[in-house]
Coordinates of all heavy atoms in Angstrom, one line a residue:
E1 N -106.9 44.1 -56.0 CA -106.5 43.7 -54.6 C -106.1 44.8 -53.7 O -105.6 44.6 -52.6 CB -105.5 42.6 -54.7 CG -106.1 41.3 -55.3 CD -105.1 40.1 -55.3 OE1 -104.3 40.0 -54.3 OE2 -105.0 39.4 -56.3
G2 N -106.2 46.1 -54.3 CA -105.8 47.2 -53.4 C -104.4 47.7 -53.6 O -103.9 48.4 -52.6
G3 N -103.7 47.4 -54.7 CA -102.3 47.8 -54.8 C -101.3 47.0 -54.1 O -100.2 47.4 -53.8
H4 N -101.7 45.8 -53.7 CA -100.8 44.9 -53.1 C -101.5 43.5 -53.2 O -102.6 43.4 -53.6 CB -100.6 45.2 -51.6 CG -101.8 45.0 -50.7 ND1 -102.9 45.9 -50.8 CD2 -102.2 44.0 -49.8 CE1 -103.8 45.5 -49.9 NE2 -103.4 44.4 -49.4
W5 N -100.6 42.4 -53.1 CA -101.2 41.1 -53.3 C -101.9 40.6 -52.0 O -101.3 39.9 -51.2 CB -100.0 40.1 -53.7 CG -99.4 40.5 -55.0 CD1 -98.1 41.0 -55.1 CD2 -100.0 40.4 -56.3 NE1 -97.9 41.3 -56.5 CE2 -99.0 40.9 -57.2 CE3 -101.2 40.0 -56.7 CZ2 -99.2 41.0 -58.5 CZ3 -101.5 40.1 -58.1 CH2 -100.5 40.5 -59.0
A6 N -103.1 41.1 -51.9 CA -103.9 40.8 -50.7 C -104.2 39.3 -50.5 O -104.4 38.8 -49.3 CB -105.2 41.6 -50.7
L7 N -104.2 38.5 -51.6 CA -104.5 37.1 -51.5 C -103.2 36.2 -51.4 O -103.3 35.0 -51.5 CB -105.3 36.7 -52.7 CG -106.7 37.4 -52.8 CD1 -107.4 37.0 -54.1 CD2 -107.5 37.1 -51.6
K8 N -102.1 36.9 -51.3 CA -100.8 36.1 -51.2 C -100.8 35.0 -50.2 O -100.4 33.9 -50.4 CB -99.6 37.0 -51.1 CG -98.3 36.3 -51.1 CD -97.1 37.3 -51.0 CE -95.8 36.6 -51.1 NZ -94.7 37.6 -51.0
D9 N -101.3 35.4 -49.0 CA -101.3 34.5 -47.8 C -102.7 34.1 -47.4 O -102.9 33.8 -46.2 CB -100.5 35.1 -46.7 CG -99.0 35.3 -47.0 OD1 -98.4 34.4 -47.6 OD2 -98.5 36.4 -46.8
N10 N -103.6 34.3 -48.3 CA -105.0 34.0 -48.0 C -105.3 32.5 -47.7 O -104.6 31.6 -48.3 CB -105.9 34.5 -49.2 CG -107.4 34.2 -48.9 OD1 -107.9 33.2 -49.3 ND2 -108.0 35.2 -48.3
L11 N -106.2 32.2 -46.8 CA -106.5 30.8 -46.5 C -106.9 30.0 -47.7 O -106.4 28.8 -47.8 CB -107.6 30.8 -45.4 CG -108.1 29.4 -45.0 CD1 -107.1 28.7 -44.3 CD2 -109.4 29.5 -44.2
V12 N -107.7 30.5 -48.6 CA -108.1 29.7 -49.7 C -107.0 29.6 -50.8 O -106.7 28.5 -51.2 CB -109.4 30.4 -50.4 CG1 -109.8 29.7 -51.7 CG2 -110.5 30.4 -49.4
T13 N -106.4 30.7 -51.2 CA -105.4 30.6 -52.3 C -104.1 30.0 -51.8 O -103.5 29.2 -52.6 CB -105.1 32.0 -52.8 OG1 -104.7 32.9 -51.7 CG2 -106.4 32.6 -53.5
S14 N -103.7 30.3 -50.6 CA -102.4 29.8 -50.1 C -102.5 28.4 -49.5 O -101.8 27.5 -49.8 CB -101.8 30.8 -49.2 OG -100.5 30.3 -48.7
T15 N -103.4 28.3 -48.5 CA -103.5 27.0 -47.8 C -104.3 25.9 -48.5 O -103.8 24.8 -48.7 CB -104.1 27.3 -46.4 OG1 -103.3 28.3 -45.7 CG2 -104.1 26.0 -45.6
L16 N -105.5 26.3 -48.9 CA -106.4 25.3 -49.5 C -105.9 24.9 -50.9 O -105.7 23.7 -51.2 CB -107.8 25.8 -49.5 CG -108.9 24.9 -50.0 CD1 -108.9 23.6 -49.2 CD2 -110.3 25.5 -50.1
V17 N -105.8 25.9 -51.8 CA -105.5 25.6 -53.2 C -104.0 25.3 -53.4 O -103.7 24.3 -54.1 CB -106.0 26.7 -54.1 CG1 -105.6 26.4 -55.6 CG2 -107.5 27.0 -53.9
H18 N -103.2 26.1 -52.9 CA -101.7 25.9 -53.1 C -101.2 24.7 -52.4 O -100.7 23.7 -53.0 CB -100.9 27.2 -52.8 CG -99.5 27.1 -53.1 ND1 -98.5 27.3 -52.2 CD2 -98.9 26.7 -54.3 CE1 -97.3 27.2 -52.8 NE2 -97.5 26.8 -54.0
Q19 N -101.3 24.7 -51.1 CA -100.7 23.6 -50.3 C -101.6 22.3 -50.4 O -101.1 21.2 -50.7 CB -100.5 24.0 -48.9 CG -99.6 25.2 -48.7 CD -99.5 25.6 -47.2 OE1 -99.8 24.9 -46.3 NE2 -99.0 26.8 -47.0
G20 N -102.9 22.5 -50.2 CA -103.8 21.4 -50.3 C -103.9 20.7 -51.6 O -103.9 19.5 -51.8
G21 N -103.9 21.6 -52.7 CA -104.0 21.1 -54.0 C -102.8 20.3 -54.4 O -102.8 19.2 -55.1
K22 N -101.6 20.8 -54.0 CA -100.4 20.0 -54.3 C -100.3 18.7 -53.6 O -99.9 17.7 -54.2 CB -99.2 20.9 -53.9 CG -97.8 20.3 -54.1 CD -96.7 21.4 -54.0 CE -96.8 22.1 -52.7 NZ -95.7 23.1 -52.5
R23 N -100.8 18.6 -52.4 CA -100.8 17.4 -51.7 C -101.9 16.4 -52.3 O -101.6 15.2 -52.3 CB -101.1 17.6 -50.2 CG -100.0 18.3 -49.5 CD -100.4 18.8 -48.1 NE -99.3 19.5 -47.4 CZ -99.5 20.3 -46.3 NH1 -100.7 20.4 -45.8 NH2 -98.4 20.9 -45.8
L24 N -103.0 16.9 -52.7 CA -104.0 16.1 -53.3 C -103.5 15.5 -54.6 O -103.7 14.3 -54.8 CB -105.3 16.9 -53.6 CG -106.4 16.2 -54.2 CD1 -106.9 15.1 -53.3 CD2 -107.6 17.1 -54.5
S25 N -102.8 16.3 -55.4 CA -102.3 15.7 -56.7 C -101.2 14.7 -56.4 O -101.2 13.6 -57.1 CB -101.6 16.9 -57.5 OG -101.1 16.4 -58.7
A26 N -100.4 14.9 -55.4 CA -99.4 13.9 -55.0 C -100.0 12.6 -54.5 O -99.6 11.5 -54.9 CB -98.4 14.5 -54.0
L27 N -101.1 12.8 -53.7 CA -101.8 11.6 -53.2 C -102.4 10.8 -54.4 O -102.4 9.6 -54.4 CB -102.8 12.0 -52.2 CG -103.7 10.9 -51.6 CD1 -102.8 9.9 -50.8 CD2 -104.8 11.5 -50.7
A28 N -103.0 11.5 -55.3 CA -103.6 10.8 -56.5 C -102.6 10.1 -57.3 O -102.8 9.0 -57.7 CB -104.3 11.9 -57.4
W29 N -101.4 10.7 -57.4 CA -100.3 10.0 -58.1 C -99.9 8.7 -57.4 O -99.6 7.7 -58.0 CB -99.1 10.9 -58.3 CG -98.0 10.3 -59.2 CD1 -98.0 10.2 -60.5 CD2 -96.8 9.8 -58.7 NE1 -96.8 9.6 -60.9 CE2 -96.1 9.3 -59.8 CE3 -96.3 9.6 -57.4 CZ2 -94.8 8.7 -59.7 CZ3 -95.0 9.0 -57.3 CH2 -94.3 8.5 -58.4
L30 N -99.7 8.8 -56.1 CA -99.4 7.6 -55.3 C -100.4 6.5 -55.4 O -100.1 5.3 -55.4 CB -99.1 8.0 -53.8 CG -97.9 8.9 -53.5 CD1 -97.9 9.3 -52.1 CD2 -96.6 8.1 -53.9
C31 N -101.7 6.9 -55.5 CA -102.7 5.9 -55.7 C -102.6 5.3 -57.0 O -102.8 4.0 -57.1 CB -104.1 6.6 -55.5 SG -104.5 7.1 -53.9
A32 N -102.2 6.0 -58.0 CA -102.0 5.5 -59.4 C -100.8 4.5 -59.4 O -100.9 3.5 -60.0 CB -101.8 6.6 -60.4
V33 N -99.8 4.9 -58.6 CA -98.6 4.0 -58.5 C -99.0 2.7 -57.8 O -98.7 1.6 -58.3 CB -97.5 4.7 -57.7 CG1 -96.4 3.7 -57.4 CG2 -96.9 5.8 -58.5
A34 N -99.8 2.8 -56.8 CA -100.3 1.6 -56.0 C -101.1 0.7 -56.9 O -101.0 -0.5 -56.9 CB -101.1 2.0 -54.8

């Protein structure tokens, strides 16, 4: 990544996978509860 964490705040890794993935998992769990 060039001697630094270039993907730390990347749209895919940070927004889509990290934030979006966490919300998707939580939503799936709430659906299971329902």
